[in-house]
Amino acid sequence: MLFGFGVDANNSHDPAFETLRDSLLRPTERIGIESALDENPLPQPWPATLQYNLRARIARIADYEAAFNETQKIQNISTRKSRSRELKKQYWVYKADQIQFFNQAIYGNTPTRERFLHFWLNHFTVGTDTKSRNLIGDYIQNIIDPEMSGSFSDMLYSATTHVAMLHYLDNFVNIGENSKYAKKHSREFQLGLNDNLARELLELHTVSAAKDYTEDDIRALAKVLAGWFPYNLDSPNALKDIGNIRVPFSEYHAEPGSKIVLGKKYGPGVSALRAVTDDLANDDLTIQHLSSKLCKHFLSDEPSVKQTRYVADVWRKTDGNLPDVHTAVLELAYDTETKKFQSPLVWFLSMQKLSGATLIHGWRDSIEERRIHSGVYEPGKIMTEMGYDFWEKRQPNGFSSLIQDWVSSEHMERRIRLASMTYQFGRAKNSVDEMLEFLQPSQETINLINSTKDERARFVMFFCSKEIMGV
Amino acid sequence: MFSLSRRTFTLSFASSLAYVGFPKFGFANATNQGKLVVIILEGGLDGLAAVPPIGDPQLLEYRRLLLPENNIKIGSFFALHPSFSGFVKMLAKGEASIIHATSFPYTRRSHFEGQNVVESGSINPFVEKTGWLGRAMDMAGLSGRAMALGMPLLARGNVKVDNFFPANLKGSFDPTIDITRSLSSYFGNAEAHKTIKRSIDGVERKYQNAPKFFSRDPAQLALQAGKQMNKDDGPVAAIIRVHDFDTHSNQGADSGQHADQMRVVNDIFVNLKKGLGPSWENTVALTLTEFGRTVRMNGSSGTDHGYGTVGLLAGGLLGKSSVLADWPDMKKLFEGRDLRSTIDYRAVCAACIERAFLLDHKAIASKVFFDPNLKKISDQIFV
Amino acid sequence: MSRKLHLIKHAIFAIAVLVSSQSFAQETGSLGNFEITIDEDFAAEDTNIGPAFDFSKLSIDTGLSLYRCNFIIRRIKIPEEKPEPLASGNLAIENGNIRFLEHKWVTGGLADESILATSSNLKFDKNGKLFGLIPVFPFVVSVGELADGARYPELQGKKTPEKLRTPEGAHRFNLQGDWDGEIEISMCKNEAGVRAFDDSKVRYSAESPIADIHVLTDVMAGAQQDRSIVHVQDNMIQIISANDEDVIRHGSYGLKFSVDDAQSQYPNRGKPRGGAYLKLRGPYMQPIDGKWRHKFSIFVPETTPYIAPADVYLVKMVGISGSKHDDILNIKLGHRDALVGKGWKNRLDNYLSAASGVDKNQTPYDINIGGIFVQTKKNERRYNFDLIWPANKTRENWLDFDVEANWTDTPDGYIIININGQPVFKFNGVTKTRTQTIEIKPGLSRSFGNYLHFHTFIGASPDQLNCFTSELEGFASELKNRNPSLSMRIINFLKLNGVADLAKVKAYNPLVIRQMKNSSCFESEQKANLPKQVVYIDEIEFQKTD
């Protein structure tokens, strides 16, 4: 079974299990290429100038709003337009994040780790509106990626308290009803709890609906969460320094007093949330929920009880140490004969890697705004078209792992189109014959591909084969 | 802020989909066949904002700030949100209806379970793998085509359904028949690859009976779907989906996020009528949402997941306008927070299927909704 | 069943009816039918078509009514200021309101001819400024791309020329993001068909020297986007001002078209084609009272040789129906069929000259060869050629073409061509088919037709000729059973003439042509080196009737 995004056809077909496992242990260096149009694009460290810290990212959102309002005063229409275009380039950094995300998967040397990263990024979904797009890159690089080397409870806490999550699930308006802030301002606005994050924290991120929790539990958890990042992203005054704060918690907006969540009492203050998330992380229903979800994502739409149990056992034994949990999934993947349908994103990335194509922007291509007629493509557009865009507004339950959600005539058409585009514009380094030699697919697949001499058709059919799609 | 107009708003945020079915060739009742449009409002429509019961004194007590000032009065008890300026005309002309204090019988307030319930038509979430419309069309012997990237759950359950949702990949090439035919025979007839093979066959059929050009804006989509449905051999059913009804914060009253989304719904009704032309007389369109929203406003000027909500129906097939409700006492809220549901919305869906596809209620109740005790209310809704 | 419910102000349609008790979900109760009372203000159908716009603060010119104006809607990329036409046609102005008449969108996609009529809301104020809302389909839909709905930009009275107080001019609006748009209104007429406003003062004023050339302005603004200029590589079409090398007819700017060997395309083996020309269509091809006027001045420099076996067109008038292009009338520089009388040998010499550069001192000035010809269709396969301007007056002179036409599928059609005021050509009869639209292509386009189809034989090596010979012989023997007579003819021809005279073989049979086209012997072909040709075109007056 292919893992990661497949492998570079020039490398070994069956990377040693140890190599894959090792890659799970530590965060990887961010890798990318300068331009996909170079003859032999050299993977190199992602430029520091394109790495923004959280503070810079948030400040850009507020600054953009302010600068944009200024441009509206410009009388000359074309000056105004070109100015606002410059502003977009200057302040919206998410396109660079998207390119890095794709580059890392294609040119990075730890594709297996990346696949687990995609899993967790999807599990802790922070689908976005325009305002918080800037934050997702930071969420990936500073929360999901590093926390994958630690325990689930750490990741749960970090993800829950990241600004991207707090903003996405409306916690910025979740304010304690008895907080000092509410008492002072209650005459001006109606202030109070918002239970969105609390609800999804229970239902989606941890114990799932299998746990018998009540609306009171959700409310209590919302009270615990009240005061976490109570700022609107485009209010410049509240935000200038927020990126420096390790823990974005405001006592002033928090609900005082202790709360009872799922029968357990938690004290007031900033530490209560960590106590709750630790308890939730260690709840056996969380372990079962996530073990099953991991197996469904990586092994089969209907994993066996044995497989799920194996992952859950490792989880319990190691207290949710993610490298160990991931290793367990990998062991099962090496062991299993069942097929797992490849999601559009994994499929697309595999195609780029296996064929050695360079269809996707390097960082300079984006800066210079190169488009398809130069032979490069923006990754954001491709994600959108595949219905698998981590930067798009989406529901908190993330993308499905199941085949029925990704097979339809249109999904198949997208694959045929994307494969023919990759062939036509992508400067693939490996011929279909070379890839066949390398992959050694079934005779049936070889016959299919050899049924025509048209190289583009051969390329398309190769990537629509059972082996590559995972059916 | 951007001067974001409603149109750009819906273009940039609300993706949508429609499902269009085609009558089987030689279908016996083809001439009497009604047309059905389901408008899915994802996130939970606030029934008390859409159709506020202004005659109920409790309403003001609960949600003063969420009530629009410019409500359109439609009687002594109910009013319509000002967004529904087109819908109200249909109501006046005798071709729209409102069912209030209604919901699918699902009370756990999870979007994901709720959406699964209203599309699958089962009371228990994640049990059924097919959707009620798919099953109903299967029963009526209709084949169809979904206008969506993936196959909506609502339409699953009918093997003759494939989908249509044009790519937006500039510079890409239309797939050639050589490729699709080779792949189709490669995947063969094995049970395991049935869906894939069918999808690949669908790629080849893609441009048959479908509009050549296509927008993803829901109101435009409604117009296109309507035009297609108006053709003699046109589709008999459509699904249009609108996102973003989940307004936990800053819901707004006269204007605002929820008002914008309701205006999209209004435009969908208006454009459907425009596109359908004469076929409007034979059509019923209904909204479908996973639940209502809390009666009280939450701390962030929004509302949280609730229970009872409102259903909006329009189309000439109704034959009359009516506002139907068994209005619950709002002093006694469901679990102390939500409007109670006194009408099972499945019965409304069943009534629409019954009249549009000319099926027997008993068969619908037991085979589409798996509930033989589902009440028949088609006589109240339709003439 | 009658569903007509008549609306009486504040009337009650339906009285509450209680129906039998039903039990649903958690509750038991009765399904009540509530009364419906709707204020007429809400229930009434909109009388005011189009979207709402607040005109209350403006002084609308309610006295302004015009029978018919031309309009073009364009989008303009910011900051490059490149305009691209989106729609064009006619409109009427009634009491200060715009009412759209027949028009076309070029965007494809969802563009719908009814939308301007039903969903626009535009009024002129007393200064000739335009306000209101206009639906615009901003994007041209191409393969693989998603169609987009209409935008509703607002017009706020921004206009060029700003001082012009008539409704004519370009009314500008912000379309979306980096795109602006404009609706240009021109040629307004009253019911008698007379121009309502004399725009010559605006168009031909000293301060805007280039505004007098409509097409040129568009070219300068980058009309490539609309494919108004085609086959442009490098500097094949240049905007020039007068200098030592270049000439202009009038004003400050002109256009230079040049095609040389490097720019000639070889889309199919053995058939070189090159072209630098404008495509005037859509907005440029609006009739006035059922008549068309097309005016252009052409300058052929002495240095532009006539390449004898080539078709060199200065102006092509093409009927387009779907993807089918049909030459209706072409104005040619030189005519190779004039050589026919000189015998095959001579023509072969001309081929050779095409391959090596032509003797410009002789052929171009031969009255029968290098002059201006009109090519019209005789029947499906043959053309008529008429010499309309002698070769010795063709070069180094400005030729002012004035074409008046009635493009129609009825017999009252005509095409009249004047050069420098002299009538030189007249055609009466059907000028197009019902489905065709006419496109005019001034510039320089050249192709090497059937005669030079196998031009590479001229420069073919002996090996290559042998290759062709043996291939044709093989083909002939293949044909022996299927088509013995053709087989025989090929063999005899090869014996008599040899393969180098293959242009004659081509005339034999399509089967032979196909065989030769696909020949592998072409792989070692040598391209003919074609000389450079240049023409200047200026003062292309669009629809100038006076």
Side-chain angles (χ1 to χ4, degrees):
Chain A
M1 145 175 226
L2 276 174
F3 217 82
F5 302 112
V7 275
D8 201 322
N10 299 322
N11 290 331
S12 144
H13 176 32
D14 191 9
F17 179 74
E18 284 69 27
T19 324
L20 293 183
R21 198 189 55 196
D22 284 352
S23 76
L24 298 174
L25 291 175
R26 61 194 81 79
T28 42
E29 196 188 8
R30 300 279 116 196
I31 299 284
I33 56 166
E34 185 168 347
S35 169
L37 296 171
D38 291 349
E39 196 156 328
N40 261 320
L42 181 70
Q44 45 192 307
W46 192 248
T49 48
L50 291 176
Q51 297 190 19
Y52 307 90
N53 64 26
L54 186 58
R55 182 184 171 180
R57 286 167 181 272
I58 295 179
R60 276 181 149 77
I61 299 172
D63 289 350
Y64 175 77
E65 292 291 332
F68 182 83
N69 288 340
E70 277 305 304
T71 63
Q72 293 306 294
K73 294 175 190 157
I74 299 174
Q75 280 298 320
N76 183 315
I77 194 158
S78 48
T79 322
R80 185 169 85 219
K81 295 295 162 186
S82 66
R83 179 81 188 110
S84 75
R85 223 167 76 128
E86 281 163 30
L87 288 182
K88 271 184 201 155
K89 271 195 240 166
Q90 192 178 343
Y91 292 114
W92 294 116
V93 300
Y94 69 90
K95 283 203 172 170
D97 296 335
Q98 291 176 334
I99 292 165
Q100 208 287 317
F101 181 79
F102 268 62
N103 275 208
Q104 188 72 22
I106 298 169
Y107 303 106
N109 39 24
T110 54
T112 304
R113 188 186 170 86
E114 289 302 304
R115 281 212 56 193
F116 282 103
L117 188 145
H118 295 185
F119 173 82
W120 290 112
L121 178 59
N122 189 43
H123 180 69
F124 292 110
T125 292
V126 286
T128 179
D129 55 25
T130 330
K131 228 168 243 181
S132 51
R133 276 191 180 179
N134 267 3
L135 303 180
I136 293 185
D138 184 75
Y139 182 71
I140 295 173
Q141 283 155 31
N142 295 326
I143 304 293
I144 302 295
D145 189 27
E147 297 293 3
M148 268 167 52
S149 309
S151 71
F152 175 73
S153 57
D154 286 350
M155 182 190 274
L156 176 64
Y157 179 72
S158 303
T160 308
T161 57
H162 190 268
V163 182
M165 180 66 83
L166 293 167
H167 181 81
Y168 170 57
L169 287 176
D170 295 333
N171 207 62
F172 66 102
V173 286
N174 181 20
I175 288 157
E177 285 160 332
N178 299 307
S179 66
K180 289 174 195 153
Y181 180 81
K183 282 194 172 137
K184 189 172 172 207
H185 295 281
S186 60
R187 276 161 192 268
E188 302 159 46
F189 332 104
Q190 191 168 347
L191 297 164
L193 294 176
N194 180 301
D195 66 14
N196 217 358
L197 178 56
R199 188 180 294 276
E200 309 311 5
L201 186 55
L202 291 172
E203 183 185 338
L204 298 175
H205 299 165
T206 60
V207 291
S208 84
K211 185 88 176 179
D212 207 9
Y213 53 82
T214 64
E215 290 293 326
D216 288 342
D217 289 319
I218 294 175
R219 236 181 124 64
L221 184 50
K223 284 179 183 169
V224 173
L225 284 160
W228 283 89
F229 196 74
Y231 309 112
N232 201 346
L233 271 180
D234 57 356
S235 84
N237 298 336
L239 286 170
K240 285 296 181 192
D241 293 316
I242 198 74
N244 292 342
I245 303 173
R246 183 71 196 94
V247 180
F249 179 75
S250 159
E251 195 73 54
Y252 189 52
H253 297 78
E255 176 75 8
S258 52
K259 298 99 188 169
I260 296 173
V261 182
L262 293 169
K264 195 173 165 188
K265 192 169 175 181
Y266 298 93
V270 65
S271 56
L273 180 61
R274 178 75 208 214
V276 177
T277 56
D278 280 356
D279 285 343
L280 287 173
N282 292 325
D283 193 301
D284 206 59
L285 282 169
T286 302
I287 299 172
Q288 289 171 31
H289 171 210
L290 277 159
S291 303
S292 156
K293 194 170 173 180
L294 276 162
C295 290
K296 276 186 184 161
H297 189 89
F298 288 104
L299 303 177
S300 146
D301 284 6
E302 282 158 6
S304 67
V305 178
K306 212 173 134 197
Q307 288 172 321
T308 314
R309 197 180 291 149
Y310 180 75
V311 177
D313 283 346
V314 171
W315 189 301
R316 291 187 195 104
K317 223 181 292 165
T318 63
D319 286 333
N321 184 29
L322 292 176
D324 287 323
V325 173
H326 295 162
T327 306
V329 175
L330 266 186
E331 283 166 6
L332 291 172
Y334 262 70
D335 216 25
T336 185
E337 286 301 312
T338 54
K339 304 221 164 132
K340 175 67 198 176
F341 187 69
Q342 303 292 300
S343 77
L345 181 65
V346 173
W347 172 85
F348 181 80
L349 292 169
S350 307
M351 175 161 70
Q352 305 307 308
K353 213 164 161 61
L354 201 55
S355 67
T358 52
L359 184 68
I360 293 300
H361 274 172
W363 69 77
R364 184 152 295 286
D365 299 323
S366 173
I367 292 166
E368 293 179 3
E369 300 185 337
R370 290 185 181 134
R371 299 274 184 271
I372 186 64
H373 46 251
S374 332
V376 281
Y377 222 92
E378 287 175 77
K381 207 124 197 239
I382 283 174
M383 285 193 285
T384 311
E385 282 306 306
M386 296 189 303
Y388 211 97
D389 191 345
F390 283 111
W391 274 263
E392 208 29 76
K393 196 161 192 176
R394 57 197 183 111
Q395 298 207 52
N397 56 345
F399 301 120
S400 158
S401 313
L402 306 178
I403 181 168
Q404 67 255 34
D405 294 306
W406 300 107
V407 174
S408 71
S409 295
E410 286 297 339
H411 273 301
M412 286 301 116
E413 198 207 341
R414 296 298 191 278
R415 291 196 187 209
I416 295 174
R417 278 182 187 276
L418 287 168
S420 70
M421 259 167 87
T422 303
Y423 175 79
Q424 188 80 12
F425 298 107
R427 296 164 296 277
K429 304 236 173 354
N430 305 317
S431 71
V432 175
D433 284 335
E434 282 167 328
M435 291 189 284
L436 279 174
E437 174 71 17
F438 163 77
L439 189 71
Q440 310 252 317
S442 67
Q443 192 55 43
E444 198 190 359
T445 300
I446 294 173
N447 291 347
L448 165 78
I449 291 159
N450 288 339
S451 67
T452 173
K453 282 185 178 165
D454 175 2
E455 189 67 10
R456 186 194 323 176
R458 282 161 55 84
F459 189 92
V460 170
M461 292 196 287
F462 177 81
F463 284 106
C464 293
S465 65
K466 292 173 188 171
E467 284 83 359
I468 299 286
M469 292 214 292
V471 292
Chain B
M1 265 307 288
F2 286 93
S3 56
L4 197 68
S5 77
R6 174 173 52 82
R7 284 186 179 82
T8 46
F9 178 85
T10 55
L11 272 172
S12 46
F13 293 131
S15 74
S16 52
L17 57 91
Y19 165 95
V20 182
F22 294 89
K24 210 156 79 175
F25 181 70
F27 184 69
N29 285 320
T31 46
N32 300 328
Q33 193 82 46
K35 295 175 191 292
L36 182 64
V37 182
V38 183
I39 307 165
I40 302 177
L41 312 180
E42 219 168 59
L45 170 70
D46 188 352
L48 295 176
V51 185
I54 48 171
D56 191 322
Q58 295 298 317
L59 185 69
L60 268 176
E61 305 240 323
Y62 287 128
R63 42 161 67 202
R64 193 166 40 85
L65 291 174
L66 289 178
L67 279 180
E69 286 172 20
N70 301 314
N71 274 328
I72 306 168
K73 269 187 78 170
I74 55 169
S76 56
F77 195 77
F78 287 113
L80 266 172
H81 188 275
S83 293
F84 291 106
S85 58
F87 185 79
V88 74
K89 292 181 179 48
M90 297 175 186
L91 200 64
K93 286 183 88 177
E95 52 190 29
S97 289
I98 293 168
I99 320 279
H100 217 321
T102 177
S103 175
F104 267 62
Y106 166 77
T107 57
R108 286 164 55 98
R109 302 192 185 92
S110 151
H111 287 302
F112 320 108
E113 291 187 354
Q115 283 160 12
N116 188 278
V117 163
V118 297
E119 291 196 38
S120 70
S122 157
I123 295 185
N124 300 312
F126 301 112
V127 172
E128 272 309 311
K129 297 223 181 299
T130 58
W132 59 260
L133 185 60
R135 293 192 295 272
M137 293 189 69
D138 199 36
M139 235 168 97
L142 299 165
S143 63
R145 176 174 282 175
M147 290 180 177
L149 184 55
M151 187 63 68
L153 174 60
L154 186 58
R156 289 182 198 166
N158 184 333
V159 293
K160 289 173 231 145
V161 173
D162 65 23
N163 71 332
F164 180 72
F165 199 67
N168 194 18
L169 287 165
K170 207 172 183 174
S172 68
F173 303 91
D174 293 345
T176 61
I177 287 182
D178 305 0
I179 290 178
T180 51
R181 295 231 167 122
S182 303
L183 284 172
S184 173
S185 70
Y186 164 70
F187 282 103
N189 294 318
E191 185 64 22
H193 302 131
K194 191 172 74 184
T195 334
I196 285 213
K197 179 185 160 63
R198 204 163 60 226
S199 304
I200 286 169
D201 291 343
V203 175
E204 192 182 318
R205 284 197 307 272
K206 170 169 169 167
Y207 292 100
Q208 294 169 11
N209 286 323
K212 188 171 174 209
F213 295 107
F214 193 87
S215 164
R216 295 181 187 170
D217 163 43
Q220 274 294 334
L221 194 60
L223 185 69
Q224 290 290 329
K227 281 182 180 170
Q228 288 296 310
M229 292 171 87
N230 185 36
K231 291 182 183 163
D232 282 347
D233 58 346
V236 296
I239 301 173
I240 298 166
R241 191 188 294 265
V242 190
H243 295 314
D244 293 336
F245 282 86
D246 194 19
T247 44
H248 284 279
S249 56
N250 300 320
Q251 175 168 320
D254 279 86
S255 58
Q257 199 190 333
H258 217 72
D260 281 338
Q261 292 307 87
M262 286 193 277
R263 198 165 300 125
V264 172
V265 178
N266 177 67
D267 290 358
I268 288 172
F269 279 118
V270 170
N271 276 358
L272 267 178
K273 183 176 175 179
K274 203 160 137 192
L276 278 160
S279 296
W280 175 250
E281 293 300 312
N282 207 16
T283 299
V284 60
L286 77 158
T287 61
L288 186 66
T289 189
E290 59 253 44
F291 39 62
R293 310 200 67 80
T294 48
V295 173
R296 291 183 194 88
M297 190 168 91
N298 69 10
S300 45
S301 310
T303 49
D304 295 326
H305 306 176
Y307 182 32
T309 183
V310 74
L312 304 175
L313 281 67
L317 197 63
L318 290 168
K320 63 176 180 185
S321 282
S322 42
V323 178
L324 299 169
D326 170 13
W327 193 249
D329 182 356
M330 278 183 65
K331 280 181 193 145
K332 290 186 211 144
L333 296 179
F334 177 68
E335 294 183 356
R337 44 173 280 171
D338 301 334
L339 183 68
R340 284 177 296 166
S341 162
T342 51
I343 300 175
D344 186 337
Y345 203 65
R346 291 180 304 163
V348 178
C349 300
C352 293
I353 296 171
E354 180 192 331
R355 292 302 180 95
F357 297 160
L358 307 171
L359 297 173
D360 175 56
H361 174 79
K362 276 189 185 140
I364 297 170
S366 58
K367 286 184 188 145
V368 174
F369 290 104
F370 312 115
D371 184 353
N373 297 323
L374 194 66
K375 290 283 181 265
K376 178 175 192 287
I377 57 169
S378 51
D379 296 337
Q380 277 98 305
I381 298 175
F382 294 85
V383 157
Chain C
M1 124 199 92
S2 160
R3 294 193 309 93
K4 280 187 185 159
L5 289 173
H6 294 288
L7 189 78
I8 307 158
K9 194 170 190 180
H10 302 292
I12 295 171
F13 300 133
I15 307 299
V17 179
L18 290 178
V19 291
S20 62
S21 106
Q22 302 267 356
S23 83
F24 298 110
Q26 287 74 34
E27 307 280 333
T28 307
S30 48
L31 190 55
N33 199 340
F34 286 76
E35 62 177 44
I36 302 175
T37 325
I38 299 167
D39 195 284
E40 193 183 58
D41 293 347
F42 293 113
E45 292 294 330
D46 279 331
T47 47
N48 177 25
I49 54 163
F53 184 86
D54 183 12
F55 294 101
S56 60
K57 288 184 186 127
L58 304 165
S59 66
I60 299 304
D61 190 356
T62 48
L64 179 70
S65 288
L66 289 160
Y67 182 64
R68 203 178 178 83
C69 304
N70 293 356
F71 78 89
I72 305 177
I73 296 172
R74 301 188 180 91
R75 64 172 187 177
I76 302 167
K77 181 89 172 123
I78 307 285
E80 296 87 340
E81 287 285 326
K82 279 189 180 170
E84 303 162 33
L86 299 172
S88 63
N90 294 309
L91 56 83
I93 301 171
E94 291 166 357
N95 304 326
N97 295 301
I98 285 188
R99 186 164 66 85
F100 286 93
L101 306 172
E102 69 280 19
H103 60 272
K104 278 237 149 53
W105 289 91
V106 298
T107 53
L110 299 170
D112 174 349
E113 261 70 64
S114 68
I115 194 159
L116 280 176
T118 58
S119 304
S120 68
N121 188 6
L122 295 164
K123 293 178 199 286
F124 286 100
D125 77 353
K126 292 194 166 146
N127 290 318
K129 304 249 157 72
L130 192 58
F131 294 85
L133 289 161
I134 184 171
V136 173
F137 292 99
F139 297 112
V140 176
V141 180
S142 59
V143 175
E145 209 180 356
L146 189 70
D148 220 333
R151 305 288 187 281
Y152 286 77
E154 277 188 10
L155 281 107
Q156 292 290 5
K158 202 169 152 46
K159 169 183 180 180
T160 38
E162 206 181 342
K163 286 177 193 150
L164 193 67
R165 285 167 67 102
T166 73
E168 295 188 353
H171 305 270
R172 178 117 171 191
F173 48 85
N174 177 234
L175 184 50
Q176 178 190 358
D178 295 336
W179 292 94
D180 268 6
E182 66 180 22
I183 171 168
E184 184 180 344
I185 296 175
S186 60
M187 302 300 294
C188 287
K189 297 186 160 188
N190 59 26
E191 218 155 327
V194 177
R195 283 288 301 274
F197 313 103
D198 179 6
D199 70 352
S200 58
K201 290 191 187 73
V202 184
R203 284 259 167 86
Y204 300 96
S205 66
E207 64 257 32
S208 54
I210 58 164
D212 54 344
I213 302 164
H214 214 89
V215 174
L216 177 57
T217 320
D218 290 351
V219 172
M220 292 179 78
Q224 294 97 312
Q225 299 292 330
D226 175 44
R227 300 183 200 134
S228 287
I229 302 175
V230 294
H231 289 203
V232 179
Q233 306 160 2
D234 304 327
N235 291 319
M236 292 172 78
I237 299 181
Q238 284 172 282
I239 294 156
I240 46 143
S241 52
N243 59 38
D244 291 346
E245 279 177 41
D246 297 319
V247 291
I248 54 173
R249 176 80 179 95
H250 175 77
S252 310
Y253 298 95
L255 291 172
K256 176 181 178 179
F257 301 75
S258 52
V259 184
D260 70 14
D261 184 62
Q263 290 152 340
S264 297
Q265 298 179 334
Y266 289 76
N268 297 314
R269 278 192 293 234
K271 195 165 182 180
R273 277 198 300 197
Y277 50 86
L278 306 173
K279 272 188 183 178
L280 306 183
R281 57 183 172 190
Y284 305 112
M285 292 295 296
Q286 295 295 330
I288 294 164
D289 302 332
K291 280 186 203 165
W292 284 257
R293 287 293 277 282
H294 314 289
K295 290 185 172 190
F296 24 79
S297 300
I298 297 180
F299 185 94
V300 183
E302 196 178 10
T303 49
T304 289
Y306 169 60
I307 308 169
D311 286 314
V312 180
Y313 299 100
L314 298 174
V315 182
K316 289 185 95 170
M317 302 188 186
V318 186
I320 296 170
S321 174
S323 61
K324 207 166 167 282
H325 291 228
D326 200 3
D327 286 2
I328 291 175
L329 184 146
N330 294 328
I331 297 176
K332 292 184 68 183
L333 175 64
H335 172 44
R336 58 149 202 261
D337 275 13
L339 291 167
V340 168
K342 298 195 169 185
W344 176 250
K345 279 283 172 208
N346 277 355
R347 277 185 285 149
L348 198 59
D349 291 343
N350 281 308
Y351 289 1
L352 289 165
S353 66
S356 57
V358 82
D359 181 356
K360 68 180 183 211
N361 291 323
Q362 287 184 7
T363 343
Y365 291 103
D366 180 332
I367 187 166
N368 290 316
I369 300 171
I372 307 276
F373 289 80
V374 162
Q375 172 191 336
T376 47
K377 220 171 204 179
K378 197 174 195 174
N379 56 39
E380 272 313 303
R381 306 187 61 176
R382 299 205 176 273
Y383 292 93
N384 283 328
F385 294 94
D386 294 291
L387 178 70
I388 60 167
W389 200 252
N392 56 0
K393 289 191 196 167
T394 296
R395 283 175 180 70
E396 295 293 313
N397 288 318
W398 278 103
L399 305 179
D400 295 340
F401 284 80
D402 180 354
V403 180
E404 191 183 330
N406 183 15
W407 299 109
T408 173
D409 55 341
T410 55
D412 58 342
Y414 58 84
I415 303 170
I416 300 168
I417 302 176
N418 289 284
I419 296 180
N420 293 350
Q422 297 176 34
V424 292
F425 179 81
K426 185 167 183 177
F427 170 84
N428 284 316
V430 174
T431 47
K432 71 180 205 47
T433 65
R434 193 177 55 79
T435 55
Q436 280 176 340
T437 55
I438 306 297
E439 184 172 283
I440 294 199
K441 299 174 179 175
L444 193 52
S445 40
R446 67 183 184 191
S447 68
F448 293 81
N450 295 340
Y451 291 119
L452 208 63
H453 206 124
F454 297 102
H455 73 283
T456 48
F457 285 94
I458 310 304
S461 63
D463 283 355
Q464 203 177 358
L465 290 179
N466 288 340
C467 173
F468 280 113
T469 310
S470 64
E471 192 170 288
L472 268 186
E473 279 169 357
F475 182 58
S477 69
E478 244 177 66
L479 282 174
K480 220 167 189 169
N481 296 326
R482 271 195 291 146
N483 191 342
S485 85
L486 179 62
S487 168
M488 213 50 207
R489 271 152 66 199
I490 294 173
I491 289 166
N492 289 339
F493 180 85
L494 287 173
K495 273 184 197 157
L496 283 170
N497 304 289
V499 77
D501 219 355
L502 211 72
K504 279 188 178 171
V505 185
K506 185 200 164 303
Y508 267 28
N509 193 291
L511 277 178
V512 180
I513 300 169
R514 199 179 313 142
Q515 179 70 19
M516 299 312 293
K517 264 191 178 171
N518 299 330
S519 168
S520 58
C521 304
F522 275 114
E523 273 155 26
S524 55
E525 73 175 334
Q526 294 168 340
K527 251 179 18 173
N529 184 23
L530 303 170
K532 183 170 178 171
Q533 292 179 304
V534 173
V535 299
Y536 297 90
I537 299 188
D538 202 347
E539 201 182 47
I540 304 168
E541 291 181 35
F542 167 63
Q543 286 301 320
K544 199 175 170 219
T545 51
D546 48 339

